[in-house]
Amino acid sequence: MHSQNSLTSAQAITGTELHLRQAVHRQMVSDVPVGAFLSGGVDSSSVVAFAREITPNLQCFTIDVRQDGFEGFSDDLPYARHVAKHLDVPLEVVPVDAAQMALELESMVWHLDEPLADPASLNLLHISRLARELGFKVLLSGVGGDDLFSGYRRHLALVNEQWWRWLPRPVRLHLRALTGHLSTSHPFTRRLRKAFSGAHLEGDSRLVHYFRWIDRSDLESLYSPTFRAALGHARAENPMLEFLDSLHINTPSLERMLALDQRFFLSDHNLTYTDKMSMAVGVEVRVPFLDHDLVEFASQLPPHFKQRGRQGKWILKKAMEPYLPMDVIYRPKSGFGAPLRRWLQFDLRNWLLDILSIDRLRRRGLFDPEAVHRLISANSEGRIDASYTLLSLVCIEIWCTYFLDRKPQPSCKI
């Protein structure tokens, strides 16, 4: 294999295409029908493009969560339909709404066995359930593409640090303070606020901060005195910082972040809910991007082949230009989630207040009821973006109800 520094762009593009094609073809070997997720993003679309070389009428599935722009993500559905038409594959669309999520969240936590708070878990469940009903026991997924080739917004934010990280710490503190007053009701100002929320930190501490949904001080203010005392000096970021300490000191910052993505976010989050929620309905999800040979090849690519300016996954996108429409390859970044911010502020507000009621929180003893309700108010008024933190609190309470209080399995079974 070529070393990192000897690969030309052409060799890297050809190698990416070859390794991904081989990975997908290996994952197509099965004694049962194989289908695929198709969000219309470059990862799932790339998998489908190569999978249909083996199965031309590959059955694909997507979700419709009716995005309205409030989350700052483009709607996946038009892109999924565009790719399906371009590749001439059938596409099943599964609609999901706020009421459905609230109804099934308890079952989700039950099957996950842990309070993993991500509405993408339910999206994956809905698709897997429909696939199983239609006779598909194996689905191909694009999971891992972002983690190998640099596809998350935090990767772009990290690269953009070149414009300000050299500033003296007092100036960075001022930047943090200024952007901390920006509204969270608009995607651009929300992201700008988040990008500078860790500007006062140094080195790996700032890098790890990009993985946070809420500042540590804001999070710790939610703890009850008893819970705070029980935690002692333990911090959620400590395992991540210890992991970064084990990397070579000259590892580029983007590669350090990708290493965190692969070690923690991918394995502890995305793959966990992917496996548990699909197997809950008897479906196996296969992930070609995590093929050993492809992972090894990606690890040899220098950072500028992954994140080039504002363009994430540059090498993968160049490799797929002969196979996918350009407006799909270079579409705005989206996520496999739901319009959670809007749902918690409007559609599901009463549901949120019921699960996180002051009486219920006081009985549980983990969180300060008044502090939690101040957070709910601040989130509703757009003073802070805490939707995922609030969903985490909901899932923790649900988990405690079933696994500590021994409440019977939820009646809404999957």
Side-chain angles (χ1 to χ4, degrees):
M1 178 179 290
H2 294 276
S3 68
Q4 272 193 350
N5 296 323
S6 65
L7 276 178
T8 66
S9 295
Q11 290 170 332
I13 292 169
T14 301
T16 300
E17 175 191 341
L18 175 65
H19 282 85
L20 180 56
R21 172 183 276 110
Q22 291 175 340
V24 172
H25 288 185
R26 279 193 285 268
Q27 296 296 330
M28 291 295 291
V29 178
S30 174
D31 293 329
V32 296
V34 177
F37 292 88
L38 179 57
S39 69
V42 69
D43 298 334
S44 63
S45 300
S46 299
V47 169
V48 170
F50 291 141
R52 69 177 292 278
E53 294 175 350
I54 304 296
T55 305
N57 61 338
L58 181 76
Q59 179 64 62
C60 296
F61 300 87
T62 196
I63 205 84
D64 179 13
V65 293
R66 302 176 178 88
Q67 298 274 21
D68 60 1
F70 190 69
E71 300 294 311
F73 290 125
S74 59
D75 191 357
D76 272 338
L77 186 56
Y79 289 99
R81 285 177 168 153
H82 183 26
V83 174
K85 183 177 180 180
H86 178 80
L87 297 177
D88 193 24
V89 293
L91 179 67
E92 287 281 348
V93 180
V94 185
V96 180
D97 58 27
Q100 191 174 4
M101 189 190 90
L103 184 66
E104 296 189 333
L105 195 68
E106 292 194 18
S107 289
M108 180 192 87
V109 174
W110 170 269
H111 281 276
L112 286 171
D113 295 322
E114 57 184 292
L116 197 159
D118 192 336
S121 303
L122 286 175
N123 292 347
L124 190 134
L125 165 68
H126 296 143
I127 287 178
S128 299
R129 184 164 51 198
L130 176 60
R132 188 68 176 82
E133 291 171 356
L134 295 179
F136 292 88
K137 298 181 180 180
V138 175
L139 292 176
L140 302 182
S141 168
V143 167
D146 290 319
D147 311 82
L148 288 187
F149 293 104
S150 180
Y152 294 125
R153 293 189 187 279
R154 57 178 167 266
H155 301 152
L156 174 59
L158 183 68
V159 171
N160 283 340
E161 281 190 2
Q162 64 180 309
W163 303 109
W164 59 265
R165 63 173 171 244
W166 47 270
L167 293 169
R169 189 168 186 270
V171 179
R172 288 186 276 120
L173 276 167
H174 188 57
L175 270 175
R176 178 177 184 259
L178 283 175
T179 55
H181 295 294
L182 294 175
S183 170
T184 63
S185 60
H186 188 277
F188 176 76
T189 53
R190 184 168 65 233
R191 288 169 188 154
L192 193 62
R193 176 173 173 161
K194 182 174 175 59
F196 287 102
S197 64
H200 61 300
L201 301 171
E202 304 291 345
D204 285 344
S205 293
R206 187 167 68 239
L207 192 151
V208 168
H209 184 82
Y210 282 110
F211 289 81
R212 282 191 166 276
W213 279 112
I214 186 172
D215 284 344
R216 184 206 290 173
S217 59
D218 293 329
L219 177 63
E220 291 180 346
S221 71
L222 300 176
Y223 298 161
S224 68
T226 303
F227 185 43
R228 188 179 294 110
L231 285 175
H233 296 293
R235 297 289 182 269
E237 62 265 33
N238 287 351
M240 301 174 78
L241 290 170
E242 292 169 5
F243 173 75
L244 289 175
D245 283 341
S246 70
L247 301 181
H248 193 281
I249 191 171
N250 292 327
T251 304
S253 58
L254 180 61
E255 293 299 334
R256 297 176 79 81
M257 181 174 277
L258 288 172
L260 282 180
D261 280 307
Q262 294 164 28
R263 170 60 183 84
F264 293 95
F265 188 65
L266 179 61
S267 59
D268 293 344
H269 186 84
N270 283 345
L271 290 180
T272 294
Y273 78 69
T274 295
D275 184 57
K276 290 184 177 181
M277 298 310 288
S278 59
M279 291 307 295
V281 292
V283 170
E284 174 193 354
V285 175
R286 298 180 180 179
V287 284
F289 275 102
L290 300 186
D291 176 89
H292 180 76
D293 288 345
L294 179 57
V295 172
E296 282 290 312
F297 178 78
S299 72
Q300 298 297 312
L301 298 175
H304 69 270
F305 281 164
K306 300 170 184 177
Q307 185 77 39
R308 183 163 293 192
R310 294 186 53 82
Q311 195 61 251
K313 291 190 285 198
W314 178 83
I315 195 70
L316 175 63
K317 291 174 179 178
K318 295 299 291 184
M320 296 310 299
E321 284 184 357
Y323 306 98
L324 297 172
M326 297 294 280
D327 58 343
V328 169
I329 295 173
Y330 295 101
R331 58 167 288 194
K333 172 67 177 172
S334 187
F336 188 54
L340 184 66
R341 294 179 178 91
R342 175 171 58 78
W343 284 358
L344 291 186
Q345 287 190 22
F346 304 104
D347 308 60
L348 297 178
R349 181 171 170 79
N350 290 336
W351 170 82
L352 175 69
L353 292 172
D354 178 57
I355 293 182
L356 298 181
S357 70
I358 288 180
D359 288 344
R360 196 163 175 175
L361 290 169
R362 186 173 290 124
R363 288 196 303 270
R364 184 64 60 202
L366 296 175
F367 303 105
D368 181 312
E370 286 75 22
V372 171
H373 278 255
R374 286 195 296 271
L375 185 70
I376 293 174
S377 296
N379 183 71
S380 296
E381 295 165 8
R383 289 184 283 115
I384 189 172
D385 176 23
S387 295
Y388 280 87
T389 302
L390 292 172
L391 182 64
S392 296
L393 297 179
V394 166
C395 289
I396 290 170
E397 174 57 28
I398 291 173
W399 184 89
C400 289
T401 299
Y402 286 104
F403 292 92
L404 298 184
D405 301 344
R406 304 292 182 180
K407 180 180 176 180
Q409 183 175 352
S411 57
C412 179
K413 296 181 180 179
I414 287 174

